[in-house]
């Protein structure tokens, strides 16, 4: 759609300018590290095993609509067995890794960590308004971009369920960040490189197999975002909160899904929207990285070294 293309182009240009301005002040860690193939092999093998498991589930059960997409389109959510396999295997592996002592739990319990935890709320509020602006061909109520209204619509009648849902996605993010992102960074992979790998595998490939191409494109940007967000704090708490908020926006998703479905090419429209978000997030996080210290050191597996707190994962 011409309006979306024009507005996305403006955001992409602004994001590129902001990122270019921030690069000179970023820590060298993000660009000058040397790769250690041995250290990177474990997370790469973990990614490959996860994708193989999802591919096996897809071969047996096929692709179904993501439950959130189904609800937004007003249809009964399918069983989505491939998605369930993906959604359960990752937190179970993470829980086993932490419980067995192989991996630490990347939570600091500090004031700096709580300050980082404000970021997902701010990002959510900006992003929904940005997506509304990028999609002027559908109508948007103020309620659709209100976090309290969306959260109440999803969890208002079940506060216990909300807490359990949050714990579940935090466990999932322990898998993504502590088992994949952290060891890749410790192995010398720049954070933009590790975020790209995670976006293409855990995001695009796995979710396209489980829930179709449109969901894969959306999730590629999502996993890019959470991996960069983790690089700011080295804590799983902010990314877990962000993941939870993304599962708590039914009113917004109904309008977003209509905007995608009414576009001449839903796939191209989705790609443009989420490429715009990915660029904006990268620039915004680069600015935050210049200002905010990490909440904690980047933790290695319990039998390896850790990165000092001053060496931000950029």
């Amino acid at each position: 759609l011409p309006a979306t293309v024009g507005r996305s182009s403006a955001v992409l240009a602004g994001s590129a300018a902001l990122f270019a301005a921030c690069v000179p002040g970023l820590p060298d860690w993000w660009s000058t590290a040397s790769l250690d193939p041995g250290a990177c092999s474990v997370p790469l093998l973990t990614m490959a095993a996860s994708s193989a498991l999802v591919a096996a589930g897809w071969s047996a059960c096929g692709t179904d609509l993501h439950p959130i997409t189904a609800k937004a389109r007003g249809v009964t959510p399918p069983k989505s067995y491939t998605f369930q396999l993906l959604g359960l295997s990752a937190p179970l592996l993470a829980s086993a890794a932490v419980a067995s002592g192989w991996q630490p739990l990347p939570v600091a319990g500090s004031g700096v960590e709580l300050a980082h935890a404000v970021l997902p709320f701010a990002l959510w509020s900006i992003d929904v308004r940005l997506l509304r602006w990028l999609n002027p061909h559908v109508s948007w109520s103020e309620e659709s971009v209100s976090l309290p209204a969306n959260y109440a619509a999803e969890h208002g009648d079940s506060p216990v369920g909300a807490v359990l849902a949050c714990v579940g996605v935090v466990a999932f993010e322990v898998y993504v960040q502590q088992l994949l992102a952290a060891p890749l960074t410790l192995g010398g992979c720049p954070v933009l490189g590790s975020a790209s790998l995670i976006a293409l595998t855990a995001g695009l490939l796995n979710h396209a197999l489980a829930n179709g191409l449109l969901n894969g494109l959306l999730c590629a940007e999502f996993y890019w975002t959470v991996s960069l967000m983790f690089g700011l704090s080295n804590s799983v708490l902010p990314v877990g909160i962000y993941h939870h908020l993304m599962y708590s926006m039914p009113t917004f998703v109904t309008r977003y899904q209509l905007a995608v479905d009414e576009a001449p090419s839903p796939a191209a429209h989705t790609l443009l929207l989420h490429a715009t978000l990915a660029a904006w997030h990268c620039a915004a996080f680069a600015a935050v990285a210049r200002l905010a210290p990490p909440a904690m050191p980047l933790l290695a597996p319990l039998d390896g070294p850790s990165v000092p707190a001053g060496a931000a994962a950029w």
Side-chain angles (χ1 to χ4, degrees):
L1 294 170
T4 301
V5 171
R7 295 181 182 195
S8 292
S9 298
V11 176
L12 289 168
S15 299
L18 176 59
F19 183 75
C22 292
V23 165
L26 288 173
D28 289 340
W29 184 260
W30 75 281
S31 62
T32 59
S34 57
L35 281 174
D36 178 351
C40 292
S41 63
V42 173
L44 291 175
L45 288 171
T46 303
M47 287 184 199
S50 175
S51 294
L53 180 64
V54 174
W58 168 77
S59 178
C61 303
T63 299
D64 285 310
L65 278 179
H66 191 287
I68 292 177
T69 303
K71 288 172 62 178
R73 289 178 173 172
V75 301
T76 302
K79 296 297 184 182
S80 299
Y81 292 114
T82 306
F83 175 68
Q84 291 186 43
L85 180 64
L86 170 62
L88 291 174
S89 60
L92 286 175
L93 178 59
S95 300
V98 172
S100 66
W102 173 39
Q103 291 283 355
L105 182 65
V107 174
S110 67
V112 176
E113 183 180 52
L114 290 178
H116 276 280
V118 174
L119 178 60
F121 293 96
L123 192 67
W124 190 98
S125 297
I126 295 170
D127 282 355
V128 294
R129 287 163 175 81
L130 175 58
L131 286 167
R132 177 175 66 175
W133 182 69
L134 292 174
N135 290 282
H137 58 289
V138 297
S139 62
W140 300 80
S141 66
E142 283 303 316
E143 183 182 61
S144 67
V145 295
S146 165
L147 179 55
N150 274 276
Y151 200 86
E154 183 69 26
H155 303 294
D157 59 349
S158 181
V160 174
V163 172
L164 293 176
C166 188
V167 171
V169 294
V170 168
F172 191 96
E173 289 299 338
V174 171
Y175 163 76
V176 175
Q177 310 307 335
Q178 187 57 38
L179 275 68
L180 302 181
L184 283 171
T185 301
L186 289 166
C189 184
V191 73
L192 297 181
S194 64
S196 298
L197 281 171
I198 291 168
L200 291 173
T201 55
L204 178 60
L205 176 60
N206 290 358
H207 283 268
L209 288 173
N211 300 123
L213 177 61
L214 296 185
N215 189 253
L217 293 170
L218 183 155
C219 288
E221 177 268 308
F222 172 79
Y223 282 93
W224 161 265
T225 296
V226 293
S227 297
L228 295 184
M229 187 183 291
F230 178 75
L232 295 174
S233 67
N234 300 329
S235 165
V236 78
L237 182 62
V239 294
I241 291 173
Y242 181 72
H243 198 150
H244 179 58
L245 294 180
M246 296 300 289
Y247 270 90
S248 307
M249 50 198 303
T251 307
F252 172 83
V253 171
T254 298
R255 306 313 298 170
Y256 165 86
Q257 194 61 52
L258 180 63
V260 170
D261 290 343
E262 289 191 352
S265 171
H269 194 76
T270 300
L271 179 60
L272 179 60
L273 292 178
H274 291 280
T276 303
L277 286 184
W280 139 245
H281 292 164
C282 185
F285 293 166
V288 172
R290 294 185 58 175
L291 302 173
M296 58 190 295
L298 186 63
L299 300 178
L302 294 178
D303 59 351
S306 64
V307 171
W314 285 91

